[in-house]
Structures are given as C-alpha cells and as structure tokens.
Amino acid sequence: QVQLVESGGGLVQAGGSLRLSCAASGRAVSNYVMGWFRQAPGKEREFVARIGKFGGATSYADSVKGRFTISRDDARNTVYLQMNSLKPEDTAVYYCAADTSVGVYTTPRWWDYWGQGTQVTVSS
C-alpha cells in the first residue's frame, strides 16, 4: 500500500502560480503511475495530469496544457504539479493519485490510491 499527502494549495490571484506536492510513503513512487485530479464544488472529479513510470511520459487535460507541469522525483518519493497562469476556473480541490498501472488514466475509478486533497482558490 502507498499513502499520499498533498500540500501547497492556497489562495492566489488570477495569473499567479502555485506548486503542489504529493508526498508518498509506504511504497516507492517509482512503482506507480502518478496523477493529479481536481474537483470543484458541484462538479465531478476531473483529470488534470499524469506521469508514467517508465521514462516519465506525461499527459495533460486540454484545459491545463501549456500552463501546468507534472513532474516526479522518485528519490524524494514526491510528485509535483507546477501551476502557472492560474485562472478562476482552476479553483478546486486538487487530489494526488497513484496506481501500478492505469487502463484509462482520465477516469478516476481506475486509480487505486488517493490523497486527501488540497484546496486551490484563484481569485479574479
């Protein structure tokens, strides 16, 4: 089993930046595909980004591509989400996720492990 803890959320003005961290324990992050999802009030949880195990291939939702960057530091057992040019529409609780393999990575139910979430609020 792996445990995930997100941090780095907060309140930021539109156009600003935040860096979220996902610290893993119990198992090595190197064994997992890692992802970020977000959920706004009254909305379904939606895919944001994922990074693979082998070679660290990345994928992004169209809504964040070019603004957000996912990265991993396996030595530190940590995954990051750098968020730039933030928009009010980015306001949500952001969740870190992990799985040994993911069939459809954009679908939350395919992921086995989740963090508790961290709130990101973007004001205009």
Side-chain angles (χ1 to χ4, degrees), residues 16-86:
S17 298
L18 284 173
R19 189 191 194 194
L20 305 183
S21 297
C22 174
S25 61
R27 300 286 184 180
V29 161
S30 60
N31 295 319
Y32 297 91
V33 178
M34 304 296 297
W36 288 95
F37 288 74
R38 66 188 183 186
Q39 188 167 19
K43 305 292 185 182
E44 297 294 318
R45 190 168 298 187
E46 67 175 356
F47 168 76
V48 175
R50 70 105 210 181
I51 185 165
K53 291 184 287 184
F54 306 109
T58 58
S59 299
Y60 299 91
D62 288 343
S63 59
V64 307
K65 192 172 185 178
R67 299 188 297 120
F68 291 11
T69 303
I70 187 172
S71 62
R72 62 192 300 154
D73 187 339
D74 291 347
R76 295 180 181 272
N77 239 25
T78 303
V79 176
Y80 305 95
L81 185 68
Q82 178 67 46
M83 305 185 294
N84 298 327
S85 301
L86 283 162

